[in-house]
Amino acid sequence: MKTTLKRGIGRAAELNGNGHAVYPPAIGSPMRRYRQPEPDRRSLAGLFGRIFLWLVIGALMLAAGIAGGTYLYVEQDIASSLGPRSADVKAAQETLDVVIPGEPTTALVLGYDKRAGIEAGETGHSDTLMLVRADPSLETVTMLSFPRDLLVEIQGCPNGTFVSRINNAYGECGSSAAIETVRKLTGVPINFLVTVNFRGFKQVVSRMGGVWIDVDRRYFNDNSSGGDRYAVIDLQPGYQKLNGADALDYVRYRHLDSDFFRIARQQQFLRGIKQRATDFPLLDLPKLVKTLTTNVEVGKGDGTRFDARTLLDYAALVYGLPPRHVIQSRIDLSCYQGLNEVTVPESCIQTAVNDFIQPDVDAPLKATDVALNRRRAESAPSPSQTTVTVLNGNGQVGSATSAASQLGARGYKIVTSGDGNAPSWEYFRTEVYYQGGADARAAANKLSKLFGDARLSPIPAEIAPLSNGAAVTVIVGQTYHGTIAAAPSDKTPEHSAPAVRIDSAATPYLQQVAKRVPYRLMTPTRIEQSSAISTLSPIRVYGLGGSNAVRLTYTMGGIDYWGIQMTNWKDAPALKDPNEVTKIGRRTYRLYYNGSHLHMVVLDYGGATYWVVNSLLDKLSNETMLSIAKGLRPLASG
């Protein structure tokens, strides 16, 4: 696989700114493809499509909380309007995989820049593509992005396959080709397609009243210098609410960095959308829904329309997810080789897909333990400490033996019991029973996730005699097809020393503005060792949410930026739902992660909050982030 990344910049100088779903198989396992003979819809792709999916889910989360006529409202005003309208989406729908109720679902989100006027008949271009997967059994939503210049084998075109940039699948042959290409690349079934255009993106964000985003640096281009004409952008660093136009400029920007940064900005925006959905005014919901349904098309794999029950089920799932259960997977940056044409080994694609299918929801907790050199008490006994009996409840010869063997390979202690049969062979879903105290329940809950849609409950009286005293008893049902879920790969980074140096260069800047805010400023005494204060916008003082804010911006090599944000707005949306709250010394810190990467550390002190914010690509190690936060000291007067 190859990727063309338009870097074309040096690293020495600082930039100025110009210029319920189908369960995907584990990697390596045989794929089962379900198809409907009759087409009807389709479309879920690209840059803004991915954003749109969150906008749809946000609206649905709101609808899910309304009593009384919600179902009819969603049925008549949302579901009936989201179906495919264009010939492209209608044709693409027949290439989607069927949706199986209760199982994980994967959507391809595609955003396009189709023009009006003389170019209106063209398909348009997709900036990027993203897979979004909702897994009810794991209670997770995962996202996997692809750089638009990734060189792949394009599938689904009338004239056969050819190698080109992945975004050309849509540009050359439409949504069907985008679906076929991504499915071939990843081996993941795709059940939904969502498409949205630039115009729709701006309208939806405006209807939502804007989205709160932490802008990492100064972005500016007004095309006044001549030369290449790039998109106009004018954004200051710091946490702020972006309107539709500014948000579009931000997530599209790529001129002086690369697709890596743009993907990070887009995923950052999606987190802002999820946060916005939790406090969106209910009275504004009808107008938002109308804007959504005007600019979005959704195709469903079984050829039926996107019904109200499906919408509300997804809304209820996403609304209640803990922050560490919304996970962004990506191809490891170290996998890319070369400059203009970057090669990505197939093994790296497979690793990213495995993380996408089997996310590690405990990654933030494990990463904190490693960074702080501490041991956390296990929430569940290890497999070697868990006794398991497996019974056949589906009548398929060898099912119990196969499941027991697979669990044994994972380290579980298998116990034999009689003839290995359940009281009947009429079990549809796999049942996981536990007997004993909290440890047995925790062990059963951990094991049940290996069977996807398994149901967890205390052991019934009629099953207990068959358990042979095991802490966990599994009855494999008809939904067991001979495999258990792949084990999530452990991406916990190894402990390393903080990469910091003593530095007080920010102190004069802070002293100059200290009297402009009604709280005590903090000065960093340690910063990342290769960093320096940005010369473009070293410090910014501004109003934020009716409060006051100060932003320090640091740069690493002129391309990666991180910052320190200070504000007395203690209820900022970004501060909701930390992954963990931990005490270090006499201070308490809130930790916010992207997977196993610590993205933000927040300290509460004297009526204000102090944020250490990592770069877009989370270049600062977890230990470095914590060291900088621990090094914050109250600014001395004068």
Side-chain angles (χ1 to χ4, degrees):
M1 311 302 169
K2 292 184 178 180
T3 311
T4 300
L5 295 179
K6 299 177 181 177
R7 294 176 178 173
I9 51 177
R11 296 184 178 269
E14 182 177 355
L15 306 180
N16 63 7
N18 287 316
H20 295 132
V22 169
Y23 187 73
I27 297 301
S29 67
M31 182 192 304
R32 292 184 298 114
R33 178 80 53 83
Y34 297 89
R35 295 285 184 86
Q36 279 298 101
E38 297 182 0
D40 188 42
R41 31 184 96 171
R42 150 181 183 170
S43 178
L44 220 143
L47 161 65
F48 305 105
R50 58 180 90 162
I51 294 169
F52 180 74
L53 180 64
W54 275 110
L55 300 179
V56 172
I57 289 175
L60 298 178
M61 286 191 285
L62 299 172
I66 305 172
T70 299
Y71 184 87
L72 288 178
Y73 173 70
V74 176
E75 178 73 37
Q76 296 173 7
D77 287 18
I78 301 180
S80 61
S81 303
L82 282 177
R85 299 179 296 275
S86 66
D88 171 67
V89 174
K90 289 179 179 179
Q93 182 167 263
E94 62 183 287
T95 67
L96 293 169
D97 298 281
V98 74
V99 176
I100 299 178
E103 293 194 4
T105 310
T106 301
L108 175 64
V109 185
L110 182 153
Y112 60 91
D113 62 350
K114 185 173 181 179
R115 274 80 166 183
I118 192 171
E119 297 178 336
E122 298 181 7
T123 303
H125 302 282
S126 61
D127 275 358
T128 48
L129 299 93
M130 176 184 281
L131 290 175
V132 180
R133 184 173 188 266
D135 189 334
S137 61
L138 295 178
E139 296 183 337
T140 58
V141 170
T142 52
M143 294 168 281
L144 176 60
S145 300
F146 303 98
R148 71 175 188 175
D149 296 331
L150 181 70
L151 292 183
V152 299
E153 189 176 76
I154 304 297
Q155 307 287 324
C157 289
N159 295 328
T161 62
F162 59 95
V163 175
S164 185
R165 297 175 182 177
I166 194 169
N167 71 320
N168 284 336
Y170 175 79
E172 296 289 335
C173 305
S175 297
S176 296
I179 292 172
E180 295 283 6
T181 298
V182 174
R183 185 161 48 206
K184 173 71 173 179
L185 178 67
T186 63
V188 175
I190 299 174
N191 315 109
F192 290 97
L193 173 69
V194 176
T195 59
V196 65
N197 58 33
F198 293 166
R199 177 175 62 98
F201 173 87
K202 290 190 290 187
Q203 290 178 350
V204 169
V205 174
S206 295
R207 284 293 186 194
M208 294 193 78
V211 176
W212 289 97
I213 296 293
D214 188 85
V215 178
D216 62 316
R217 64 176 176 90
R218 178 78 168 104
Y219 291 85
F220 179 76
N221 176 51
D222 62 358
N223 285 325
S224 61
S225 59
D228 293 336
R229 309 292 288 180
Y230 297 134
V232 173
I233 188 171
D234 186 3
L235 292 175
Q236 296 287 345
Y239 187 66
Q240 59 200 280
K241 182 184 283 187
L242 300 184
N243 60 27
D246 286 340
L248 180 59
D249 291 341
Y250 183 68
V251 299
R252 290 184 66 189
Y253 185 87
R254 191 184 67 155
H255 303 309
L256 292 178
D257 42 38
S258 73
D259 262 346
F260 296 139
F261 291 90
R262 176 154 64 171
I263 287 173
R265 282 188 286 268
Q266 292 161 4
Q267 293 183 338
Q268 177 193 35
F269 180 83
L270 292 178
R271 293 194 297 272
I273 287 293
K274 185 177 185 298
Q275 292 170 347
R276 179 63 176 136
T278 61
D279 61 4
F280 186 78
L282 295 181
L283 293 177
D284 294 340
L285 180 60
K287 291 182 179 179
L288 173 61
V289 168
K290 183 177 180 180
T291 303
L292 289 172
T293 56
T294 299
N295 293 285
V296 178
E297 296 179 75
V298 176
K300 185 181 177 185
D302 55 9
T304 62
R305 68 190 180 90
F306 203 29
D307 60 277
R309 177 51 54 196
T310 301
L311 291 177
L312 293 177
D313 284 348
Y314 280 123
L317 168 66
V318 177
Y319 187 80
L321 287 181
R324 62 192 176 99
H325 286 238
V326 179
I327 300 168
Q328 296 161 348
S329 303
R330 66 187 180 192
I331 301 170
D332 195 289
L333 295 179
S334 64
C335 291
Y336 294 92
Q337 303 170 1
L339 293 176
N340 292 328
E341 291 191 354
V342 179
T343 301
V344 179
E346 185 176 352
S347 60
C348 290
I349 299 289
Q350 293 180 343
T351 298
V353 172
N354 189 59
D355 293 341
F356 174 70
I357 293 174
Q358 280 295 318
D360 185 0
V361 297
D362 293 327
L365 305 182
K366 293 187 292 185
T368 300
D369 293 343
V370 169
L372 295 178
N373 273 324
R374 71 182 182 190
R375 288 190 174 185
R376 185 189 306 264
E378 286 287 342
S379 58
S382 66
S384 63
Q385 297 173 316
T386 304
T387 54
V388 183
T389 285
V390 184
L391 303 175
N392 190 329
N394 59 27
Q396 299 176 21
V397 177
S399 286
T401 301
S402 174
S405 175
Q406 291 162 0
L407 291 175
R410 296 287 177 88
Y412 285 95
K413 188 175 180 180
I414 305 301
V415 177
T416 58
S417 173
D419 59 7
N421 289 329
S424 78
W425 287 344
E426 302 301 322
Y427 288 83
F428 178 69
R429 289 187 176 182
T430 296
E431 304 286 344
V432 177
Y433 301 122
Y434 59 90
Q435 56 182 338
D439 282 352
R441 189 187 191 286
N445 181 59
K446 180 178 180 180
L447 185 151
S448 69
K449 298 183 184 303
L450 299 176
F451 289 90
D453 63 347
R455 292 188 295 197
L456 179 70
S457 59
I459 192 165
E462 65 272 19
I463 303 298
L466 304 176
S467 69
N468 200 24
V472 180
T473 299
V474 177
I475 299 181
V476 292
Q478 296 172 23
T479 57
Y480 171 70
H481 297 289
T483 60
I484 60 176
S489 57
D490 191 346
K491 293 298 184 66
T492 308
E494 295 183 1
H495 182 80
S496 61
V500 296
R501 61 181 173 85
I502 303 299
D503 186 274
S504 59
T507 301
Y509 291 101
L510 293 168
Q511 289 175 334
Q512 291 173 14
V513 303
K515 294 183 178 180
R516 296 171 58 184
V517 296
Y519 53 89
R520 189 88 172 263
L521 295 180
M522 287 272 191
T523 186
T525 60
R526 296 191 292 264
I527 66 171
E528 192 277 332
Q529 62 186 9
S530 67
S531 298
I533 291 182
S534 170
T535 58
L536 295 175
S537 182
I539 191 168
R540 180 189 177 205
V541 182
Y542 64 105
L544 178 63
S547 303
N548 305 92
V550 175
R551 177 66 167 226
L552 286 170
T553 302
Y554 289 87
T555 181
M556 296 181 290
I559 188 170
D560 290 289
Y561 293 79
W562 62 276
I564 297 176
Q565 179 88 20
M566 312 180 202
T567 179
N568 56 340
W569 186 23
K570 302 191 72 174
D571 297 322
L575 301 181
K576 295 179 180 178
D577 300 324
N579 292 100
E580 185 170 5
V581 178
T582 188
K583 190 170 184 179
I584 305 175
R586 295 183 179 181
R587 289 177 169 180
T588 299
Y589 299 91
R590 286 180 272 178
L591 309 181
Y592 302 79
Y593 278 86
N594 285 333
S596 60
H597 299 284
L598 185 53
H599 183 71
M600 187 168 74
V601 181
V602 175
L603 167 67
D604 292 278
Y605 178 86
T609 60
Y610 305 83
W611 318 358
V612 178
V613 186
N614 210 330
S615 68
L616 282 172
L617 300 181
D618 294 320
K619 289 292 186 67
L620 278 66
S621 71
N622 298 347
E623 291 82 3
T624 299
M625 289 285 292
L626 289 169
S627 179
I628 295 172
K630 290 189 292 183
L632 293 175
R633 295 289 183 267
L635 181 68
S637 60

